[in-house]
Amino acid sequence: MKSKMFFIMALAGIIVFCCQNFSCTSDDDVLAPYAGPPNMSNIKIEEGSYVPKVTWVGGFACVLGVNRGATAILDSSLIMLVHQQNDQLRYPVSFGQAPSGAQDIAGDYGGRAATRLQEDNTYTFWVMQEEIWEQVAGLRNKILRVDDELPPSAIQVQEDTVVTSASGHAQTTISLDVYVNYRNVRPMGRLAELTLVSSDTSNNPIITWKIRQEGVTDSLVAAVGLVKAALYDPQAIAWEAWSEEAAEDRMVYGKSNIIPSPLLFGDSFPGTRTFYAYPADGLQRNQKYYFWIANKDWDGITHSRAANYYAYITFETF
């Protein structure tokens, strides 16, 4: 009987505890008052692409604009201005493509729609909702700015600038840098003047040369090489190709001028042998490189500025 009574009392205590606990939890979890939609913000541009996808925070939009340069403005610098009424522009939006139901109206402001971005150029991306767009659409040639302190939907015209509320407008500026760039480029050597040409399609530059050594008339060369270092270092070879030909019972290398200018780094040619394969991903950023060429009369040994029938170029990537 005593054990039964003890069980009943324990059960009652548990019930009271649970009721109190649930009551407290219910009071603590009351939702905060609804504060409205978030401001437009956080525009994200897909990396590594000339036709990037664009996304943003703050709901659907009415327009997505892209200007050349570091300023959002309704003028001839527009290369994209996609418009869709009633804030029906949904992300992601791919550059150069107007989504279904939208139109590119960059031409209305003297701009010219582009199909792709260009390497090493600066661009400003901006999005705007209809409540703001309706107030600024007629303000040509005025710089568009965002002020977090302005109340929702408000704008202020200040001489050559229109300042808008962050509730329906966001922007960001990027410098497009998909592939490696070059600096501190220094051509050296007797054989030729070398020139490095950047590529906007890969991390593989193009090298050209103009023969300048007296008595040399053939512009073709017999060997090329790339070293991942500021000076020639046989322990840091990144790519090397030599002409190859059979002579009696052996193979002879570097004695036939068959490699032409211009030359894309990593290219191969009939009659050559690649002793060190060019890296699949091309050149790396923040490195020092040494590229050399030599013709059939080079001694095959000397890698110096004074070497006959030999030339090189050094550069840094970033």
Side-chain angles (χ1 to χ4, degrees):
M1 185 67 179
K2 289 183 178 181
S3 80
K4 182 176 181 182
M5 182 62 70
F6 175 80
F7 172 77
I8 293 172
M9 290 176 65
L11 181 60
I14 291 173
I15 293 172
V16 170
F17 172 80
C18 289
C19 289
Q20 291 176 343
N21 189 56
F22 290 151
S23 175
C24 291
T25 301
S26 177
D27 290 342
D28 291 342
D29 287 349
V30 173
L31 293 176
Y34 180 62
N39 288 346
M40 302 290 286
S41 64
N42 201 30
I43 299 176
K44 294 292 186 183
I45 314 300
E46 179 187 11
E47 296 183 356
S49 174
Y50 294 121
V51 286
K53 290 182 172 63
V54 184
T55 62
W56 59 88
V57 170
F60 300 144
C62 178
V63 292
L64 166 63
V66 184
N67 291 83
R68 295 188 308 274
T71 303
I73 185 171
L74 295 174
D75 71 356
S76 60
S77 67
L78 282 165
I79 57 173
M80 181 177 183
L81 185 59
V82 173
H83 173 259
Q84 191 163 6
Q85 293 182 336
N86 301 319
D87 288 335
Q88 292 301 305
L89 191 62
R90 301 166 181 255
Y91 49 79
V93 177
S94 294
F95 179 82
Q97 300 179 24
S100 177
Q103 291 182 316
D104 194 315
I105 59 172
D108 293 352
Y109 296 91
R112 186 172 182 178
T115 57
R116 70 196 302 265
L117 303 178
Q118 295 182 341
E119 179 77 346
D120 298 326
N121 278 258
T122 299
Y123 298 97
T124 298
F125 290 73
W126 51 278
V127 289
M128 193 175 286
Q129 291 181 332
E130 193 162 46
E131 59 185 2
I132 302 290
W133 173 248
E134 288 179 342
Q135 300 178 72
V136 305
L139 302 177
R140 297 170 180 267
N141 302 313
K142 290 191 180 295
I143 298 170
L144 304 175
R145 304 284 189 200
V146 181
D147 186 344
D148 293 334
E149 300 301 319
L150 285 181
S153 305
I155 76 165
Q156 292 180 352
V157 180
Q158 304 170 354
E159 298 181 351
D160 65 345
T161 302
V162 181
V163 182
T164 81
S165 167
S167 66
H169 179 200
Q171 54 183 252
T172 189
T173 297
I174 67 166
S175 295
L176 193 69
D177 186 18
V178 177
Y179 298 112
V180 297
N181 301 293
Y182 311 97
R183 63 189 173 199
N184 297 331
V185 180
R186 301 182 63 192
M188 299 285 184
R190 290 184 173 179
L191 177 62
E193 178 82 14
L194 286 84
T195 302
L196 191 68
V197 182
S198 299
S199 170
D200 64 355
T201 59
S202 72
N203 286 324
N204 308 326
I206 295 171
I207 197 82
T208 65
W209 56 83
K210 183 178 180 180
I211 299 298
R212 67 182 182 183
Q213 184 164 351
E214 186 177 353
V216 178
T217 58
D218 192 351
S219 64
L220 302 178
V221 297
V224 298
L226 178 69
V227 178
K228 195 174 180 180
L231 301 172
Y232 182 80
D233 181 353
Q235 303 301 314
I237 296 174
W239 175 44
E240 198 166 282
W242 297 55
S243 68
E244 178 183 53
E245 59 185 327
E248 298 179 352
D249 60 345
R250 63 191 180 91
M251 300 300 294
V252 177
Y253 300 101
K255 292 302 178 182
S256 297
N257 291 335
I258 58 176
I259 302 174
S261 168
L263 172 67
L264 177 68
F265 275 32
D267 265 2
S268 59
F269 297 92
T272 64
R273 178 173 177 180
T274 300
F275 288 90
Y276 294 86
Y278 186 76
D281 295 332
L283 303 187
Q284 298 177 353
R285 292 186 190 271
N286 304 313
Q287 298 291 333
K288 294 181 179 181
Y289 286 97
Y290 175 113
F291 175 84
W292 60 269
I293 63 172
N295 78 1
K296 64 182 181 61
D297 297 314
W298 176 51
D299 65 11
I301 300 173
T302 310
H303 292 272
S304 74
R305 183 176 180 177
N308 280 316
Y309 313 111
Y310 178 90
Y312 65 93
I313 189 169
T314 61
F315 58 93
E316 297 177 18
T317 58
F318 66 98

